[in-house]
Amino acid sequence: MMIYPYIKALHIIFVVTWFAGLFYMPRLFIYSTEAGEKPVAERDILRAQFAIMTRRLWYGITWPSAVLTLILGLTVMFMGNWDTILFKPEGRWFLIKWLFVLGLYAYHFSLQVIVKQELAGIFKYSSNQLRLWNEVATVFLFAIVMLVIVRTSMSLVWGIGGLAALIVLLMVAIRIYRKFRT
């Protein structure tokens, strides 16, 4: 069991690097989309550079981090005997956390779709839509961290209320930014 803390530490490190990619990737989408408003020569140069950055970030950091997060997370779970509490009352928080983790991987795959589209020169979403989509990772981060740290001392009502308040706050911030930008 001496190796357990090292595996747990590596899991946390790869969660952080994965989130770095999840937070920055939509920003690259936004920049590429907004580059479409520039003159053709400038647009082409910017989009070529953003495509290089997208490939390197997505395939060099974000995807490997997502895979290692999953592998190390499952390892921590089984080495720490978390699987034995899953269906006990004190393990409900863990099941809810796993639902959010599955949602986070669904979000990751949604970004994969946008990566493929943009690398193929297809820009389907506005910068405002992408700004909203950028905040989804923030909601998942808050939910998962709160479940891991606070666990059973947080009620379901307060947890859902807190997430709803966070979502409202993010939406208001995006609207304020949009007005400030224009």
Side-chain angles (χ1 to χ4, degrees):
M1 267 321 211
M2 291 275 295
I3 196 167
Y4 180 76
Y6 293 98
I7 292 173
K8 197 172 187 180
L10 286 171
H11 171 64
I12 293 168
I13 289 166
F14 285 108
V15 166
V16 170
T17 59
W18 182 29
F19 266 98
L22 293 177
F23 285 142
Y24 195 61
M25 188 55 58
R27 297 302 315 164
L28 288 174
F29 298 157
I30 292 165
Y31 300 150
S32 292
T33 298
E34 290 178 349
E37 300 166 7
K38 306 282 184 195
V40 174
E42 188 178 351
R43 179 200 68 201
D44 291 346
I45 290 169
L46 287 170
R47 284 190 170 164
Q49 183 60 44
F50 293 141
I52 291 167
M53 294 167 69
T54 295
R55 272 191 221 91
R56 288 178 181 168
L57 176 63
W58 192 247
Y59 296 111
I61 296 171
T62 312
W63 257 112
S65 296
V67 170
L68 289 169
T69 293
L70 182 61
I71 291 168
L72 293 166
L74 290 171
T75 303
V76 165
M77 186 176 101
F78 290 112
M79 286 181 74
N81 295 319
W82 289 101
D83 55 325
T84 61
I85 68 156
L86 279 180
F87 300 104
K88 295 180 182 173
E90 66 269 15
R92 280 191 220 132
W93 71 269
F94 198 69
L95 287 172
I96 296 168
K97 175 201 164 203
W98 266 101
L99 290 175
F100 280 108
V101 169
L102 289 174
L104 184 62
Y105 276 95
Y107 175 72
H108 176 96
F109 285 112
S110 77
L111 294 182
Q112 174 66 47
V113 170
I114 299 171
V115 165
K116 283 187 172 186
Q117 289 171 346
E118 290 207 356
L119 290 178
I122 301 165
F123 299 89
K124 293 174 73 171
Y125 305 101
S126 71
S127 61
N128 284 330
Q129 289 172 314
L130 293 168
R131 277 187 180 81
L132 286 171
W133 200 235
N134 189 40
E135 300 308 327
V136 172
T138 304
V139 174
F140 280 116
L141 178 65
F142 269 79
I144 293 167
V145 170
M146 292 303 277
L147 283 164
V148 170
I149 302 301
V150 180
R151 294 186 186 169
T152 56
S153 63
M154 177 176 54
S155 75
L156 185 61
V157 173
W158 279 104
I160 292 172
L163 269 182
L166 173 66
I167 291 167
V168 168
L169 182 66
L170 290 171
M171 296 302 137
V172 168
I174 290 169
R175 284 183 185 255
I176 290 170
Y177 175 78
R178 188 181 325 156
K179 286 182 181 180
F180 175 74
R181 190 167 179 258
T182 56

